[in-house]
Amino acid sequence: MSSITTEPITTKRQQNEFVEFPWKLYRDDPNWVPPLRQNLKELVNFAPHPFYTRNNVQCFLARRDGEVVGRIAAILNVGHNERYEERRGFWGFFESVNDTEVSGALFDAVKGWFAEQGIHKMRGPANPSLNHEVGTLIEGFDSPPAFMMTYNPPYYEKLITDYGYEKTQDMYAFWGHIDMLEGLDPKLKFIVDEAKSRFNLKLRRMDRKRFKEDVYTFLDNYNRSLVGTWGFVPIDTSEVDKMADDLKHLLVPELTSVCEVDGKVIGSMFGMLDYNPRIKKIDGKLFPFGFMRLLWNKKAIKNMRLISTNVVPEYQRWGIGLVILERLVPDIKKWGVQEVEFSWVLESNHLSRASLERGGAKKSKTYRMFDYAPAETAADNAT
């Protein structure tokens, strides 16, 4: 029987093998959408990314008879450990053939790398943090993922749990059709009207003339709104700069909504067109012409993902999120959007889940985060 070997990535050739492995793994899967190659290289630190100014990563390959059969990244998220006062390692960018010997060898490599640093508790997948793509798909394999959401074969859950990982949190994607808005629950409409009458709300879309300033506004509101959310670590200034640059060509002002009270932003929402069908057509290659094909005639894209609805804590119980969405609806209809994915929503976010379900949205996909701890530390594993 052939043995499995793992190796830390130290060369350019190994980096290329790490990046290209999914094309081999998913070649017969019609629902897989390739990553943007340049973006992937940055997120695993093969190319510069501000996340790694203070954090660290080590990528590994698994081989059988010299052939790559799996990959993984061990990620040291310093911000998480400082915020939650613990020593925990993360892993992400996991891909493997359906073989527990391969997946076990990869998880062993991650565990060994962290053990050298005195870290024994682990969580994943995070690619590379909760501010990026996260979770293993465990339900909803019948359709492709929305833009910036993960995808994997159904057998991944078993590979992970067979090693000893246990569920720590689920995230959901909800699906909605524009027609559902016509039959909106009257109770939700009452909540919207009450919020409008109680507060001096000003609602607007993102301003093209001050685009970068408004992107910063969105991200600042994101940081202020999620302080009590499970696993949240604020995006630091250097990452905000990077995200603002990355989003400036992709964001559509008509699919954004900002809520202000007395000139201060208290809530925001932004949607992204579902670029995934186009990313699939360009095979994840932005150069030399993929970038133009990705962004050409955005108006033709009729599906979108509502990525983030964020309201600062002191206003979160007043239905402001519904008010923000209401402002967005006419622009969504005018654009011609037919289907919307709301993702992701934490299992523990009961308020958002209840609002979506009452509005008629249907849970379409489930993503899971897993924790691992040796027996001696299992008792204090939860954070």
Side-chain angles (χ1 to χ4, degrees):
M1 185 175 179
S2 301
S3 61
I4 305 300
T5 61
T6 58
E7 60 196 49
I9 291 180
T10 59
T11 69
K12 191 73 173 178
R13 177 177 175 271
Q14 290 171 315
Q15 290 180 2
N16 290 336
E17 289 178 301
F18 184 98
V19 169
E20 297 297 327
F21 176 63
W23 273 262
K24 171 188 172 184
L25 185 68
Y26 293 96
R27 61 178 177 264
D28 297 321
D29 190 333
N31 287 327
W32 179 67
V33 177
L36 292 171
R37 284 175 168 86
Q38 181 58 33
N39 184 55
L40 173 58
K41 291 175 182 177
E42 293 174 358
L43 291 176
V44 294
N45 207 29
F46 296 164
H49 191 283
F51 177 78
Y52 295 108
T53 301
R54 66 188 307 232
N55 302 311
N56 198 9
V57 62
Q58 177 60 63
C59 295
F60 297 90
L61 291 173
R63 297 185 190 272
R64 178 187 285 122
D65 297 331
E67 181 182 0
V68 175
V69 288
R71 72 175 202 190
I72 200 167
I75 301 155
L76 181 59
N77 188 328
V78 175
H80 173 93
N81 286 341
E82 289 179 351
R83 183 175 180 84
Y84 295 97
E85 298 181 345
E86 65 173 357
R87 294 183 62 75
R88 182 183 298 278
F90 286 79
W91 55 267
F93 305 97
F94 170 74
E95 302 285 4
S96 174
V97 298
N98 189 8
D99 186 334
T100 54
E101 188 181 3
V102 174
S103 57
L106 289 168
F107 291 131
D108 279 346
V110 168
K111 183 164 65 173
W113 189 74
F114 283 124
E116 291 175 357
Q117 303 169 69
I119 296 172
H120 303 286
K121 294 191 293 184
M122 294 179 290
R123 176 175 294 164
N127 302 336
S129 76
L130 269 70
N131 295 320
H132 299 87
E133 294 182 7
V134 295
T136 295
L137 181 66
I138 63 166
E139 294 177 345
F141 296 96
D142 55 341
S143 61
F147 183 55
M148 296 172 65
M149 294 294 286
T150 61
Y151 181 80
N152 53 262
Y155 62 79
Y156 273 23
E157 181 184 8
K158 187 174 188 302
L159 292 184
I160 295 167
T161 56
D162 278 357
Y163 190 79
Y165 281 89
E166 297 180 348
K167 169 191 169 180
T168 184
Q169 186 84 205
D170 280 353
M171 294 89 80
Y172 302 128
F174 286 85
W175 172 90
H177 192 278
I178 196 69
D179 292 344
M180 293 177 181
L181 297 172
E182 303 300 330
L184 195 62
D185 187 334
K187 292 180 181 179
L188 296 182
K189 184 68 169 70
F190 174 78
I191 292 172
V192 169
D193 292 340
E194 277 291 297
K196 285 181 175 179
S197 65
R198 183 178 293 270
F199 304 106
N200 181 28
L201 303 180
K202 178 184 177 183
L203 293 149
R204 63 177 177 86
R205 65 174 61 158
M206 176 180 284
D207 189 343
R208 291 183 186 275
K209 294 180 180 178
R210 53 175 188 177
F211 185 88
K212 192 159 187 176
E213 179 184 342
D214 264 359
V215 171
Y216 276 92
T217 297
F218 272 103
L219 295 173
D220 176 67
N221 186 65
Y222 173 88
N223 278 342
R224 292 188 294 125
S225 300
L226 297 180
V227 289
T229 303
W230 178 87
F232 175 69
V233 176
I235 309 171
D236 68 23
T237 304
S238 61
E239 277 202 88
V240 168
D241 288 337
K242 171 65 174 170
M243 288 185 175
D245 287 339
D246 288 347
L247 291 173
K248 65 183 177 183
H249 297 295
L250 299 172
L251 272 175
V252 175
E254 291 89 336
L255 305 182
T256 63
S257 189
V258 181
C259 182
E260 299 176 350
V261 172
D262 300 328
K264 296 181 180 179
V265 174
I266 65 160
S268 60
M269 173 183 289
F270 75 91
M272 295 289 287
L273 295 170
D274 189 0
Y275 292 99
N276 269 2
R278 294 189 176 188
I279 291 174
K280 191 162 187 171
K281 286 183 178 179
I282 65 175
D283 199 30
K285 298 176 182 176
L286 288 176
F287 306 103
F289 304 113
F291 192 73
M292 290 185 289
R293 293 174 63 190
L294 181 66
L295 299 178
W296 177 79
N297 189 20
K298 296 178 189 175
K299 198 76 175 177
I301 303 175
K302 301 303 182 184
N303 291 345
M304 65 175 287
R305 177 187 166 207
L306 275 176
I307 293 181
S308 190
T309 305
N310 301 307
V311 178
V312 295
E314 56 267 36
Y315 288 91
Q316 285 177 359
R317 294 286 175 179
W318 296 102
I320 302 299
L322 292 171
V323 178
I324 296 170
L325 177 60
E326 185 192 48
R327 193 230 66 79
L328 201 58
V329 168
D331 280 346
I332 290 176
K333 289 184 174 181
K334 187 176 180 180
W335 189 275
V337 169
Q338 296 299 307
E339 298 182 13
V340 178
E341 179 174 293
F342 302 83
S343 59
W344 41 266
V345 180
L346 278 171
E347 176 185 27
S348 56
N349 189 342
H350 301 291
L351 182 62
S352 292
R353 287 173 56 197
S355 297
L356 286 166
E357 288 165 356
R358 287 175 62 184
K362 309 297 182 184
K363 188 172 71 173
S364 57
K365 295 182 185 293
T366 301
Y367 301 84
R368 181 162 293 173
M369 295 283 287
F370 298 88
D371 275 3
Y372 175 90
E376 62 269 20
T377 61
D380 63 358
N381 190 44
T383 60

